[in-house]
Amino acid sequence: MNEDARVADADEVPEGGTLLFTVRDDEDELREAFVSRLSDGTVVAYRNYCQHWTDVRLDKGDGARVTNGEVWCQKHGATFQLDSGYCDFGPCEGSVMESVDVTVTDGGVYVDDEDYVFEHLGPSGVDTGDGGDSRIDFTGN
């Protein structure tokens, strides 16, 4: 694998948590993503935004909230299954997180997605607005 595509050592990817990284898309824009390890050892990666409001980050730089194999949107309370990306609760129920293809080989995790190029670990530095820090109910109030 191309070492420039290496996100992290495989043993650095948390089970029950997320590791934030930045990619560059095919339009030369910086985008955030995160990797996580499932209970069976599989490593998955998704773009770092809620399907309800795409300016809301799931991992704000210190790991997303993950419980029982689901990542939470702390703004809306939506939950997404880490194994499939499927939203099973919340205002975006039925939607699916955008996956980022990764490969685990030779002790490392590599971006292996034709739409993205790995840039660096951590946040993109692009201000997403993050939709603020207050919670709303599912009616929009």
Side-chain angles (χ1 to χ4, degrees), residues 4 37 45 70 90 99 103 132:
D4 291 339
R37 181 181 308 281
E70 295 182 321
S99 64
T103 298

Side-chain angles (χ1 to χ4, degrees), residues 7 17-25 29-36 44-50 57-64 71 82 97-102 109 111-113 116-125 128:
V7 176
T18 59
L19 180 65
L20 183 65
F21 66 99
T22 298
V23 292
R24 186 170 299 278
D25 68 16
E29 298 288 330
L30 294 177
R31 307 290 182 198
E32 289 182 354
F34 61 82
V35 291
S36 186
V44 295
Y46 296 99
R47 287 279 311 280
N48 187 33
Y49 65 88
C50 179
R57 298 161 65 213
L58 300 173
D59 182 333
K60 295 181 180 180
D62 55 357
V71 63
L82 277 174
M97 290 190 296
E98 181 183 342
S99 64
V100 174
D101 293 336
V102 293
V109 177
V111 172
D112 190 19
D113 194 309
Y116 300 108
V117 175
F118 176 72
E119 283 288 316
H120 59 265
L121 272 179
S124 66
T128 64

Side-chain angles (χ1 to χ4, degrees), residues 14-91:
E15 181 181 331
T18 59
L19 180 65
L20 183 65
F21 66 99
T22 298
V23 292
R24 186 170 299 278
D25 68 16
D26 54 7
E27 296 177 5
D28 207 32
E29 298 288 330
L30 294 177
R31 307 290 182 198
E32 289 182 354
F34 61 82
V35 291
S36 186
R37 181 181 308 281
L38 305 179
S39 60
D40 69 0
T42 302
V43 174
V44 295
Y46 296 99
R47 287 279 311 280
N48 187 33
Y49 65 88
C50 179
Q51 299 300 300
H52 182 223
W53 285 353
T54 59
D55 64 334
V56 174
R57 298 161 65 213
L58 300 173
D59 182 333
K60 295 181 180 180
D62 55 357
R65 178 179 172 197
V66 177
T67 308
N68 297 324
E70 295 182 321
V71 63
W72 290 66
C73 173
Q74 294 187 52
K75 182 164 185 73
H76 308 112
T79 56
F80 300 88
Q81 298 170 7
L82 277 174
D83 62 349
S84 65
Y86 179 78
C87 180
D88 57 10
F89 178 79

